[in-house]
Amino acid sequence: MLDLRSIREDPEGVEAKLRRRDPTIRLAPLLELDRERRALIRRVEDLRRERKLGSEEVARLQQAGHGEEAQTRIATLKELSAELKALEERLAELEEKLYQELLKLPNLPHDSVPPGGKEEKVLLRSWGEPPRFDFEPKHHLELGKKLGILDFPRAAKLTGTRFPLYIGLGARIELALIHWMFELHVREHGYVPVLPPILANPTSFLVSGQLPKFAAELYYCPEDDLYLNPTAESLLVNLHRDEILSEEDLPLKYVAYTPCFRREAGTYGEEQRGLIRVHQFNKVELFYFTTPERSYQDLEELVGHAERVLQALGLHYRVTLLPCGDLAQQSAKTIDLEVWLPGQGRYYEVSSCSNCEAYQARRGKIRFRPRGGGKPEFVHTLNGSGLATSRLFAAILEQNQRPDGSVALPPLLAELVGTEELS
RNA sequence: GGAGGGGUGGGUGAGCGGCCGAAACCGCCGGUCUUGAAAACCGGUGAGCCUCCGGGCUCCGUGGGUUCGAAUCCCACCCCCUCCGCCA
């Protein structure tokens, strides 16, 4: 959510920035609602003041024994109260409308974010070299099937299409990766470990920015009015909802492991077979609550932490900066890590690291008190995958495959599971 | 799921129709004292909205209701605690 006051003070400036993301955005209706609202507030407050003074007078009259005068006063106040109630109802309606409008607006892109749509993303750097094969590299689905570590047909029997089932060494590798990443961030990068609930209420998703716009992406339990976690970002941001933190405690860094569930409504495609786009995957998520002064520096640090995972596994990847048109609703700037999948000859996102600035903080009223006192300010929130395992799993198979379909595990992983190769 | 108790400012907690944005204590900030610090003492210290920048209004879990007037009374819901039941 954007700051209404700053929209009011510089509507042209805000609109210009928003249009870098979406040229169809218009602030005029919102500004009109705001004008109406403020006019109404003035009337309502005048009436409230009148009622308050009148009521105090009634009390005085009654105490002084002027019962009759008090009754007359009460009669007029009764009318005033009725009028006030009607106006208050209108005001509540207006404020709700205004709030809904405000919720629809995405975050302002940071100045360093390039213009344009999906295709305009900027390559920042890459790490390592794509492995060379003197044979046709296979798809991880094929490798996983042959190695007996991935079983989609049986998963479909249990649940349906696009749900993964890891079995044998596949299950052990998956679990080992999750645990190792989690420990890495806790022990070497100083994150506070969290295992949150996997179901959360609508308010939580409103704060994170998933709702109201992206309800179709979420699995929902109507009996309980709860949504299934699509990314731990949504959960972690709510950890400090409605709190005033101390600047001394910032940045607060959390790492969570959660399964993630996404309906992926309307996504199909041969190229997204296997583990690339599934309804359920595992993710280790990194999250910062920090100050506006240091949030962009923290974003770089966060990206570095995610990169360490890929580096330790010796996987070739690249780092890209998303353009305005490809930003998530809540993000002001997003840096993606994309791992190379030779079986498909392309890169896939394994981490998306964003600075949401005060967008989520404003929705969730997450503030901090500046050092040495003063008014509370909104924190900046950052999130990033560190990492999502299903695609990581796929990359490990595809980048380390051998002509016969066996896979040489990276040394680190080999040690974790006690096997050097899958065959 | 059943019975009972409770949700008040950064924290603990008093208030149970008007004098309450709200006692007290803790914390925090400033001062006195001290070589410095601690202790002690004194003073200050909630958030948000509107503004003709004088000020005004709102907020005591959430939403309704009663009333001239609600933190206080009534109803519904949510959450927490205790006990019982069920259960990995």
Side-chain angles (χ1 to χ4, degrees):
Chain A
M1 191 156 68
L2 301 180
D3 178 32
L4 181 58
R5 191 170 299 183
S6 58
I7 293 177
R8 190 153 67 215
E9 277 165 11
D10 179 24
E12 290 83 12
V14 171
E15 194 168 70
K17 283 192 174 190
L18 285 173
R19 285 183 175 177
R20 294 187 69 209
R21 305 182 53 134
D22 177 357
T24 66
I25 288 177
R26 307 197 58 84
L27 291 177
L30 188 136
L31 290 165
E32 181 50 34
L33 279 173
D34 180 48
R35 265 190 295 276
E36 280 181 51
R37 168 178 156 270
R38 282 185 296 154
L40 196 51
I41 282 175
R42 259 170 280 164
R43 290 184 58 199
V44 163
E45 289 190 351
D46 283 349
L47 285 182
R48 287 211 270 237
R49 178 165 166 71
E50 216 179 300
R51 180 185 65 182
K52 190 176 167 181
L53 294 175
S55 292
E56 281 166 8
E57 200 190 327
V58 167
R60 274 196 304 277
L61 289 172
Q62 284 177 339
Q63 268 160 26
H66 298 97
E68 231 165 272
E69 279 179 61
Q71 283 311 311
T72 320
R73 203 76 194 84
I74 284 173
T76 54
L77 283 176
K78 206 165 189 163
E79 276 173 49
L80 191 150
S81 260
E83 188 190 348
L84 179 57
K85 195 179 171 187
L87 288 181
E88 280 177 332
E89 274 165 22
R90 259 190 59 202
L91 179 60
E93 270 171 46
L94 260 180
E95 298 208 306
E96 177 59 24
K97 241 178 166 171
L98 182 65
Y99 180 61
Q100 290 305 326
E101 284 300 312
L102 217 42
L103 283 182
K104 283 188 206 158
L105 295 177
N107 206 351
L108 304 178
H110 188 256
D111 288 339
S112 65
V113 174
K118 246 186 188 43
E119 317 312 319
E120 307 299 322
K121 72 180 163 196
V122 174
L123 176 65
L124 295 179
R125 59 182 175 271
S126 66
W127 188 88
E129 293 290 326
R132 297 212 184 123
F133 300 99
D134 46 15
F135 58 94
E136 188 67 30
K138 295 186 183 67
H139 191 285
H140 65 271
L141 192 55
E142 203 178 319
L143 293 166
K145 191 174 172 182
K146 184 169 167 289
L147 295 167
I149 60 175
L150 281 176
D151 193 338
F152 276 90
R154 288 201 173 99
K157 188 158 67 175
L158 308 189
T159 307
T161 184
R162 287 181 189 277
F163 281 86
L165 188 151
Y166 301 87
I167 193 162
L169 264 170
R172 292 182 53 222
I173 287 171
E174 177 73 1
L175 214 49
L177 281 171
I178 293 166
H179 185 244
W180 163 72
M181 290 189 286
F182 196 75
E183 288 290 301
L184 173 75
H185 297 308
V186 171
R187 294 161 82 158
E188 295 188 30
H189 302 149
Y191 288 79
V192 175
V194 180
L195 291 178
I198 306 304
L199 289 166
N201 57 40
T203 307
S204 295
F205 292 105
L206 190 83
V207 169
S208 71
Q210 299 280 345
L211 291 179
K213 246 186 151 174
F214 304 99
E217 266 306 294
L218 303 174
Y219 285 97
Y220 177 59
C221 307
E223 296 273 291
D224 304 284
D225 197 20
L226 294 173
Y227 293 88
L228 215 41
N229 169 54
T231 162
E233 168 198 354
S234 313
L235 306 171
L236 291 173
V237 67
N238 284 283
L239 229 48
H240 294 296
R241 191 169 82 210
D242 297 317
E243 290 184 26
I244 298 176
L245 307 165
S246 299
E247 183 171 2
E248 288 72 35
D249 296 335
L250 301 179
L252 279 168
K253 299 157 64 181
Y254 293 98
V255 55
Y257 156 65
T258 63
C260 300
F261 301 88
R262 297 185 184 178
R263 297 187 60 230
E264 302 290 359
T267 55
Y268 304 98
E270 176 64 11
E271 64 176 26
Q272 299 190 332
R273 288 182 302 147
L275 290 171
I276 300 307
R277 195 173 291 279
V278 279
H279 292 308
Q280 176 181 344
F281 59 96
N282 293 308
K283 185 152 66 79
V284 169
E285 180 79 2
L286 307 174
F287 202 93
Y288 276 61
F289 294 89
T290 190
T291 63
E293 286 70 36
R294 52 176 295 163
S295 69
Y296 279 94
Q297 171 191 330
D298 285 336
L299 179 63
E300 297 301 324
E301 186 177 276
L302 171 58
V303 171
H305 293 156
E307 281 186 73
R308 272 202 70 192
V309 171
L310 293 168
Q311 291 170 6
L313 291 167
L315 294 169
H316 166 60
Y317 68 91
R318 67 181 191 184
V319 183
T320 62
L321 176 61
L322 296 194
C324 288
D326 208 16
L327 291 175
Q329 166 105 348
Q330 65 271 29
S331 176
K333 178 173 182 171
T334 298
I335 293 169
D336 274 5
L337 302 187
E338 301 182 334
V339 74
W340 173 246
L341 290 194
Q344 298 158 74
R346 58 162 287 186
Y347 293 89
Y348 276 102
E349 175 196 323
V350 277
S351 179
S352 196
C353 303
S354 301
N355 186 349
C356 297
E357 297 192 1
Y359 190 88
Q360 295 175 321
R362 212 170 271 122
R363 287 190 176 194
K365 296 188 179 63
I366 309 165
R367 291 168 292 180
F368 72 95
R369 197 173 298 280
R371 232 178 277 274
K375 287 281 167 197
E377 291 175 43
F378 289 111
V379 300
H380 278 195
T381 56
L382 317 184
N383 67 82
S385 347
L387 307 165
T389 61
S390 42
R391 289 181 185 174
L392 181 63
F393 190 100
I396 289 169
L397 297 188
E398 292 190 17
Q399 285 201 26
N400 296 294
Q401 61 180 296
R402 295 190 290 221
D404 62 354
S406 65
V407 171
L409 290 181
L412 183 144
L413 189 52
E415 192 168 334
L416 290 176
V417 296
T419 311
E420 283 180 10
E421 65 158 33
L422 304 174
S423 57

